[in-house]
Amino acid sequence: MQHHKGNADRPGKNGETVDWISIYKHGHDGDAEHPLKYTFLSLFREDPKTVYRELKRKDPRGAFWGVTELTLFVSTFVILGVLNWRYICFLVPFWYLGHCLFYLNGYYRHFGGNPDEPLAWGVSSYDKLYNWVWFFNGYHAEHHFRPKVHWTRTQTLRERIVEQQRVAGVRVIKPPHALAFLDPDLPSLKQNSRQKSNGRWNLKSARLQEGAN
């Protein structure tokens, strides 16, 4: 809901990000947060009240069904927990770790991206097996640039803008996003911050040269 409004933006003058799940929201000095902190703490930072208010403002019917789903989910936990407390001990760790994997995957879909350049908002992985199994989820820079394009057409979109992406400095990793920490070219947090600063100047220079020509 807010993710594509902010596109993993850095905190503004008020210290807040537009994107509620931005990897820069809890970072320091414009750097991304450490991946382990982001992965294991993000679930506890969620604010259901804020999400509900925003959803209700845009779609009251959707907000109603969202609350209904959450109520049924919590009720199921409580009822089964009362019937057998071992159920809670078994399910909760898997439920929590499932969310952690979601945030780990999300972290590396943006780490190394450039929140100041629309073409480079996301980070892409073109691993064939990953994209065949996960509905071309690896084309994340393309998805951020044109989020309304259906996943079956993201490959075609990339073919049309690949040269523009090169100039913009779109980051491409070799493994799937969830395994991006294994990427041989993965920058450190400080390197990532410096690369983005250099990328802004390189992109500006390239545009000035194009304008001169």
Side-chain angles (χ1 to χ4, degrees):
M1 184 161 49
Q2 290 290 113
H3 183 51
H4 282 283
K5 284 185 179 181
N7 294 292
D9 58 323
R10 296 189 186 91
K13 293 181 180 179
N14 61 355
E16 295 294 328
T17 57
V18 176
D19 181 359
W20 294 336
I21 58 173
S22 172
I23 63 175
Y24 302 97
K25 184 177 178 68
H26 297 281
H28 300 285
D29 301 322
D31 295 331
E33 184 177 15
H34 192 281
L36 291 179
K37 286 181 63 180
Y38 184 85
T39 297
F40 291 106
L41 296 180
S42 287
L43 176 63
F44 304 106
R45 295 166 175 166
E46 292 185 0
D47 184 357
K49 291 182 179 179
T50 301
V51 175
Y52 172 75
R53 284 196 298 267
E54 184 65 20
L55 184 58
K56 185 178 180 181
R57 183 181 66 82
K58 300 184 70 174
D59 182 9
R61 184 177 177 84
F64 168 78
W65 287 113
V67 172
T68 301
E69 179 183 351
L70 181 61
T71 301
L72 291 173
F73 175 76
V74 173
S75 298
T76 301
F77 260 73
V78 172
I79 292 171
L80 292 177
V82 170
L83 293 175
N84 190 336
W85 61 268
R86 294 178 181 84
Y87 172 83
I88 299 294
C89 296
F90 177 80
L91 186 60
V92 167
F94 286 97
W95 175 76
Y96 169 66
L97 291 175
H99 280 80
C100 289
L101 286 174
F102 165 78
Y103 284 111
L104 174 67
N105 190 60
Y107 184 91
Y108 286 111
R109 281 193 283 184
H110 304 95
F111 181 69
N114 186 346
D116 300 310
E117 172 52 50
L119 270 167
W121 276 332
V123 174
S124 287
S125 168
Y126 302 124
D127 181 84
K128 290 185 177 180
L129 180 60
Y130 171 43
N131 283 293
W132 287 343
V133 173
W134 290 101
F135 305 99
F136 287 78
N137 187 61
Y139 288 72
H140 203 65
E142 295 78 7
H143 171 65
H144 265 282
F145 184 57
R146 290 288 183 268
K148 292 185 179 180
V149 172
H150 195 267
W151 65 267
T152 56
R153 303 177 65 184
T154 52
Q155 195 170 20
T156 303
L157 172 63
R158 182 186 180 241
E159 292 170 358
R160 294 206 314 265
I161 63 173
V162 63
E163 184 56 29
Q164 295 170 266
Q165 288 183 316
R166 185 192 66 77
V167 174
V170 170
R171 177 165 173 74
V172 178
I173 56 176
K174 295 177 182 178
H177 289 110
L179 299 175
F181 52 86
L182 299 175
D183 188 77
D185 300 318
L186 188 71
S188 67
L189 292 175
K190 292 296 182 183
Q191 286 175 327
N192 175 61
S193 181
R194 287 197 297 270
Q195 284 174 358
K196 276 197 278 286
S197 298
N198 294 335
R200 287 197 294 273
W201 284 107
N202 292 338
L203 183 60
K204 184 177 181 181
S205 299
R207 285 172 172 166
L208 288 173
Q209 290 176 3
E210 290 176 2
N213 295 333

